[in-house]
């Protein structure tokens, strides 16, 4: 527990109030920062011994119109898992690449570019990774209608269309009157 | 002609396209427990030498492209076995955005084996049935492919998201 | 040196395997023995299957759908739908079997489904692939993921409750209601059991979610007496519940009562707005049918006047059902909301005595008749007339209206229905020492509901089944001293028919009682209407009930009917169902007028 508090305090000292830090559970803590502090923070943490960028994940907060990027960092010396979280605009998702800090980020960013449509200026290789000949919107976005896409593209035989539906009540005020 | 077909049915070389989970069922089928070699079926790694193309499960768009290319490289007569529910109607990947649901829209399938995954018993049974079909001259998927090449090409082009697609001239 | 020879002979080692059983399985000539619990192709017993669709709803691959099958008759608690499986999607996980409430669906040991045609993989499973009982993946109550046991309704102990008229049931707590409500699978089979087709799965869902306002709105779609029905309904829905096949049904009735009791002020949730339609409707009888028809017509905007012979509203709900089953608070709450919408009630107005039916038909645009069965049927035995023998309906009415009733210490009740149960349990609360129930059939033949019989027994009612009273004995002053009775035996009437009681006349016995209450049935009193109208009405075969069309209208124009005088079931919910139908019919009739 001590190691965690130590690094979180250090981050607090270096980045001030803008970096929200919270221990999650044993050997895992999270740091929430605004986008402009992301790169300095990642650089700082790398220098602190968090040399392993395990992955970059993304959460689609569609109701709030934001993507949340989560950078998973691991330190072999401290045996600590840090989640660095930052929120970006969903309409125009752009984050400067972190390849200068973590070389491995190239592949992760490539995947996020493909699955969520996030742009990473500075990444030289934002070509399709898994999806060949993709024509839909990025599939991991929550507004991507998987079933509609599948039906149109692959001609799925959907048996559930025949599925019996139970009777539903028409409540007062729901039928447009009231 | 009958003797010719009979001899064909006794010596089938199989290319197993093991990208799906069904691949795990192949080792017991090949080895001494089920021993498929006694039916004259030998695993073969190259398409040009193979008679059977075994699709063991789901295919993504990306692998489908390679499968079609491999299939077209195989020499006639050639047979396709669709293995597991995924090749019939998508299986558990029925609503996945990146796997094809009905294999026979893209390549002609001679025989399906249901299951998730099918047991080696089913696979042996399917081989025996395929042998009978070949001996009787019923396994004509390769002829279908030739006759309806345009139709298959259109379907392939649709999932590959291009106007026109050909395995020979990519 | 020696090694050379040894190397030469080594291959001969293989000879020792010559007579060994080979490791290879001689497929396909000799199939491998499959594990007993293997999950293969579906097997469905169509006779057991009720078509609830739980298998289709649970399937994560959406491989199952429900399709109508020809030759299967739908009936309450069982539809003509059967699962159809797509083996192009099925992953043989067996979840459909685990959630099958009837246990009809199973996965057999057979799995060899090989075909050249893709269409062969979609079919309706029957017994075709069966591998025999005890094999394959079967549903088992022991590890089923369904909960077949209900939450018992808390009740007051019998010794305590037989002393007063306070309610017997205590009502669910929030936790109990949620546990019970969570059992519901949402298959909606119960809706077929309910005469008025209440939206049961939807309101149970709302109650479980704690959204009582929504549940109240759903109740009032086709039942304006939810809390009354939630307490004393005959719960045909529970008989149709899919759980009743192998366990205890979801207690739909008490869940409804729980949901309705959460909201005291109906008007706040449902509003008191009425429509703009014009017309005057007279409703005869302030019972469940009368109030239901008034509620829905008033909501549309019609002017409704109820004519009630008694001085209190509620009809049989008030004067037939004792207060320990249905409290005055519930009655006031439900009826108060309906009258607050502007329904006028004229008490102490008996049709035929105070006002003529023909007059109502002239004055009003439509008349609804919901008078019920308020006259008891007599046994027709010697000594029946006179003091000491009374009808259960009269007895209960007097007790419920607070009038004084003279009863003795030892009481005989004749009959086996719900009215008989009420007539046995009420005297106990009035101070009777011993109550005997005489019924001519066996206990299993009793039409009374199971819990009524159970509760009456707990309270100390003595059940004398297969007895038939033949004479009421009186002393010189005309006071009842006993009842002479004979035993009966049950005569089998063939399969599917109710056994008939046949009296054994050789030997007679005597009940020593001082009061006899007859509860062998009720009949309507049509003396309220004039002869001309009665002649124009169409009655059914029994001559007791009025025949109505699909709008609830009788053969007399403008005269609608509902409740006990129309349906043979004779319970509140059927009266409500008739009245909902009649309300729609009246609205349509007045629109066309």
């Amino acid at each position: 527990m001590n190691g965690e508090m130590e690094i979180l305090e250090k981050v607090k000292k270096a980045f001030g109030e803008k970096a929200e830090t919270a221990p999650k559970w044993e050997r895992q803590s999270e740091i929430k920062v605004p986008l402009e502090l992301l790169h300095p923070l990642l650089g700082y943490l790398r220098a602190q011994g968090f040399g392993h960028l395990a992955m970059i994940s993304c959460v689609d907060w569609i109701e709030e119109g934001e993507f949340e990027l989560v950078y998973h960092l691991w330190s072999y010396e401290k045996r600590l898992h840090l989640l660095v979280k930052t929120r970006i605009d969903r309409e125009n998702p752009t984050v400067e690449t972190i390849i200068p800090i973590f070389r491995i980020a190239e592949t992760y960013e490539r995947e996020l570019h493909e699955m969520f449509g996030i742009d990473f200026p500075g990444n030289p290789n934002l070509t399709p990774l898994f999806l060949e000949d993709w024509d839909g919107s990025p599939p991991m976005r929550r507004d991507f209608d998987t079933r509609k896409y599948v039906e149109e593209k692959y001609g799925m035989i959907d048996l559930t269309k025949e599925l019996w539906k139970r009777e539903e009540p028409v409540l007062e005020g729901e039928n447009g009157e009231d | 002609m009958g003797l010719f077909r009979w001899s064909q049915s006794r010596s089938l070389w199989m290319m197993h396209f093991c990208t799906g989970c069904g691949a795990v069922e192949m080792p017991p089928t090949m080895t001494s427990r089920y021993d498929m070699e006694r039916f004259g079926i030998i695993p073969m790694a190259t398409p040009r030498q193979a008679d059977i193309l075994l699709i063991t499960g789901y295919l993504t768009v990306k692998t489908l492209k390679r499968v079609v290319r491999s299939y077209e490289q195989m020499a006639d007569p050639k047979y396709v076995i669709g293995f597991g529910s995924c090749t019939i109607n998508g299986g558990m990947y029925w609503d996945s955005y990146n796997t094809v649901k009905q294999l026979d829209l893209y390549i002609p399938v001679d025989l399906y084996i249901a299951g998730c995954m099918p047991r080696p018993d089913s696979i042996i049974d399917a081989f025996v049935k395929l042998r009978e079909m070949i001996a009787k001259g019923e396994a004509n998927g390769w002829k279908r492919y030739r006759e309806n090449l345009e139709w298959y090409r259109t379907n392939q082009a649709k999932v590959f998201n291009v106007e026109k697609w050909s395995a020979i001239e990519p | 040196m020696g090694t050379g020879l040894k190397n030469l002979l080594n291959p001969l080692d293989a000879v020792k395997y010559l007579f060994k059983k080979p490791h290879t399985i001689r497929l396909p000539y000799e199939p491998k023995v499959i594990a007993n619990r293997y999950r293969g192709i579906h097997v469905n017993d169509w006779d057991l299957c009720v078509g609830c669709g739980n298998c289709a709803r649970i399937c994560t691959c959406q491989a199952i759908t429900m399709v109508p099958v020809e030759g299967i008759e739908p009936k309450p608690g069982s539809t003509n739908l059967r699962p159809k499986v797509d083996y192009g999607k099925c992953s043989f996980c067996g979840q459909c079997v685990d959630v099958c409430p009837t246990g009809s669906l199973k996965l057999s040991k057979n799995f060899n489904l090989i075909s050249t045609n893709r269409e062969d993989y979609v079919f309706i499973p029957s017994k075709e692939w069966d591998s025999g009982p005890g094999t394959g993946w079967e549903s088992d109550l022991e590890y089923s993921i369904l909960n077949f046991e209900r939450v018992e309704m808390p009740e007051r102990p019998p010794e305590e409750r037989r002393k007063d008229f306070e309610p017997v049931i205590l009502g669910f707590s929030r936790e109990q209601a949620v546990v019970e409500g969570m059992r519901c699978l949402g298959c909606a089979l119960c809706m077929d059991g309910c005469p008025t087709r209440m939206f049961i799965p939807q309101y149970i869902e709302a109650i479980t979610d704690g959204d009582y306002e929504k549940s109240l709105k759903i109740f009032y779609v086709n039942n304006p007496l939810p809390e009354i029905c939630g307490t004393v309904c005959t719960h045909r829905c529970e008989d149709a519940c899919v759980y009743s096949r192998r366990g205890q049904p979801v207690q739909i009735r008490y869940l409804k009562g729980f949901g309705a009791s959460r909201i005291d002020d109906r008007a706040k949730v449902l509003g008191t707005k009425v429509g703009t339609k014009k017309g005057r409707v007279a409703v005869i009888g302030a019972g469940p049918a009368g109030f239901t028809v008034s509620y829905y017509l008033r909501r549309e905007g019609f002017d409704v006047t109820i004519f009630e012979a008694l001085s209190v509203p509620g009809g049989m709900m008030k004067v037939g059902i004792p207060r320990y089953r249905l409290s005055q608070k519930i009655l006031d709450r439900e009826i108060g909301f309906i009258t607050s919408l502007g329904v006028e009630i004229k008490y102490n107005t008996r049709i035929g005595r105070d006002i003529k039916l023909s007059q109502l038909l002239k004055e009003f645009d439509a008349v609804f008749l919901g008078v019920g069965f308020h006259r008891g049927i007599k046994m027709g035995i010697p000594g029946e007339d006179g003091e000491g023998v009374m009808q259960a309906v009269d007895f209960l009415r007097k007790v419920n209206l607070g009038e004084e009733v003279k009863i003795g210490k030892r009481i005989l009740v004749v009959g086996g229905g719900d009215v008989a149960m009420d007539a046995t349990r009420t005297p106990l609360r009035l101070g009777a020492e011993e109550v005997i129930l005489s019924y001519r059939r066996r206990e299993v033949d009793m039409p009374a509901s199971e819990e009524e019989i159970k509760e009456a027994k707990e309270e100390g009612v003595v059940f004398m089944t297969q007895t038939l009273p033949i004479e009421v004995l009186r002393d010189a002053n005309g006071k009842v001293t006993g009842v002479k009775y004979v035993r009966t035996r049950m005569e089998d009437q063939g399969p599917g028919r109710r056994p008939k009681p046949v009296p054994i006349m050789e030997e007679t016995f005597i009940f020593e009682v001082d009061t006899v209450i007859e509860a062998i049935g009720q009949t309507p009193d049509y003396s309220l209407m004039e002869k001309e109208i009665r002649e124009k009405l169409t009655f059914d075969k029994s001559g007791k009930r009025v025949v109505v069309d699909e709008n609830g209208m009788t053969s007399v124009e403008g005269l609608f009917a509902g409740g006990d005088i129309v349906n043979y079931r004779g319970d509140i919910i059927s009266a409500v169902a008739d009245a909902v139908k009649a309300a729609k019919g009246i609205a349509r009739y007045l629109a066309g007028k």
Side-chain angles (χ1 to χ4, degrees), chain C residues 200-349:
Chain C
I200 295 163
Q202 286 89 344
Y203 71 63
I204 290 185
E205 202 181 303
I207 290 166
T208 315
D209 290 349
D211 191 349
Y212 303 117
E213 297 195 357
K214 189 181 173 195
S215 70
L216 201 69
K217 282 178 187 162
I218 299 172
F219 298 147
Y220 274 76
V221 168
N222 48 17
N223 185 353
L225 307 168
E227 203 176 350
I228 293 171
C229 286
T231 317
V232 293
C233 186
T234 45
H235 56 79
R236 293 165 200 285
C237 48
E238 291 180 25
D239 302 334
C241 180
V242 74
Y243 275 114
S244 65
R245 303 291 165 138
R246 285 202 294 171
Q248 292 167 314
V250 177
Q251 291 173 88
I252 300 166
R253 171 176 64 168
Y254 290 146
L255 280 172
K256 173 162 67 240
F258 170 81
S261 68
R262 293 291 105 172
I263 292 174
D264 212 25
D265 192 1
R266 300 282 144 91
K268 208 171 148 192
V269 178
L270 300 164
T272 48
K273 231 178 83 180
V274 292
T276 55
K277 292 191 181 157
K278 292 272 177 288
R280 292 183 72 219
V281 182
V283 175
I284 302 169
F291 276 119
T292 304
V293 87
S294 309
Y295 175 78
Y296 290 111
L297 290 176
R298 186 66 201 136
R299 274 282 186 201
E300 302 237 338
F302 299 108
D303 287 319
V304 182
T305 312
I306 303 179
F307 294 90
E308 169 59 46
L310 298 171
S311 57
V312 288
M316 267 301 181
M317 303 186 292
K318 167 72 187 164
V319 299
I321 299 172
R323 291 288 78 76
Y324 61 86
R325 278 178 63 201
L326 181 61
S327 69
Q328 189 62 39
K329 200 180 95 191
I330 296 175
L331 272 174
D332 288 346
R333 185 151 55 195
E334 305 263 84
I335 294 171
F337 172 59
I338 296 174
T339 48
S340 74
L341 294 177
V343 175
E344 194 191 340
I345 309 182
K346 287 204 164 108
Y347 295 112
N348 299 316
T349 315

Side-chain angles (χ1 to χ4, degrees), chain C residues 530-541:
Chain C
E530 292 95 319
K531 212 177 156 208
E532 304 86 70
I533 298 176
R534 205 159 53 200
E535 274 168 0
K536 270 198 268 176
L537 281 178
T538 324
F539 291 92
D540 70 351
K541 267 185 273 172

Side-chain angles (χ1 to χ4, degrees), chain C residues 433-507:
Chain C
E433 275 166 15
E434 191 172 1
V435 178
I436 304 164
L437 180 93
S438 161
Y439 183 52
R440 58 189 174 137
R441 298 171 200 259
R442 295 162 300 177
E443 198 179 310
V444 287
D445 303 315
M446 282 194 182
S449 66
E450 242 170 73
E451 58 256 52
E452 285 266 322
I453 296 172
K454 186 188 123 244
E455 285 174 9
K457 278 191 167 170
E458 281 172 359
E459 289 173 14
V461 176
V462 181
F463 277 53
M464 296 289 284
T465 50
Q466 288 183 267
T467 58
L468 181 68
I470 52 167
E471 191 186 346
V472 180
L473 305 173
R474 290 172 187 272
D475 64 6
N477 304 329
K479 199 176 167 293
V480 175
T481 56
V483 171
K484 195 190 270 182
Y485 71 96
V486 292
R487 296 210 154 268
T488 64
R489 63 185 162 81
M490 302 305 288
E491 201 167 80
D492 201 10
Q493 299 288 301
R497 293 173 70 180
R498 221 171 150 199
K500 199 171 119 190
V502 177
I504 310 164
M505 297 305 283
E506 286 78 45
E507 205 177 353

Side-chain angles (χ1 to χ4, degrees), chain C residues 87-132:
Chain C
Y87 289 96
K89 282 184 186 171
C90 178
S91 302
F92 303 93
C93 63
Q95 270 195 84
C96 45
V97 175
D98 292 343
V99 298
C100 182
T102 61
S104 69
L105 197 66
K106 75 170 208 177
L107 293 172
S108 72
K109 257 166 76 171
N110 300 328
F111 53 86
N112 242 354
L113 195 53
I114 298 164
S115 172
T116 53
N117 191 353
R118 226 180 55 202
E119 268 139 41
D120 290 350
Y121 290 93
V122 182
F123 56 86
I124 305 173
S126 58
K127 285 192 167 173
E128 191 192 338
W129 288 85
D130 203 356
S131 53

Side-chain angles (χ1 to χ4, degrees), chain C residues 379 412-421 424 436-440 446-448 463-464 467 469 517-521:
Chain C
M379 289 190 288
L412 177 74
V413 178
V414 186
D418 281 328
V419 178
M421 294 303 143
T424 57
I436 304 164
L437 180 93
S438 161
Y439 183 52
R440 58 189 174 137
M446 282 194 182
F463 277 53
M464 296 289 284
T467 58
I517 299 175
E518 294 174 33
I520 58 168

Side-chain angles (χ1 to χ4, degrees), chain B residues 32-34 89 91 112 122 125, chain C residues 24-25 32 86 88 112 115 121:
Chain B
S32 62
R33 186 70 170 155
Y34 290 93
N89 195 20
Y112 291 103
S122 287
D125 267 14
Chain C
T24 306
I25 296 160
K32 187 183 175 247
D86 179 359
N112 242 354
S115 172
Y121 290 93

Side-chain angles (χ1 to χ4, degrees), chain B residues 32-35 38-39 85 88-92 94 102 104 110-116 119 121-122 124-126 128-129 133, chain C residues 23-29 31-34 38 60-62 86-92 111-118 121:
Chain B
S32 62
R33 186 70 170 155
Y34 290 93
D35 192 17
R38 63 204 154 116
F39 300 103
S85 301
I88 303 170
N89 195 20
M92 66 166 77
W94 63 280
Q102 297 152 36
D104 68 351
D110 291 294
L111 206 58
Y112 291 103
I113 317 170
C116 185
R119 294 177 60 92
D121 316 32
S122 287
I124 298 281
D125 267 14
V128 171
K129 185 154 185 204
M133 283 167 64
Chain C
H23 178 62
T24 306
I25 296 160
R26 296 193 62 240
L27 276 170
Y29 315 105
K32 187 183 175 247
V33 180
I34 306 298
Y38 190 77
T60 39
C61 292
Q62 303 207 346
D86 179 359
Y87 289 96
K89 282 184 186 171
C90 178
S91 302
F92 303 93
F111 53 86
N112 242 354
L113 195 53
I114 298 164
S115 172
T116 53
N117 191 353
R118 226 180 55 202
Y121 290 93

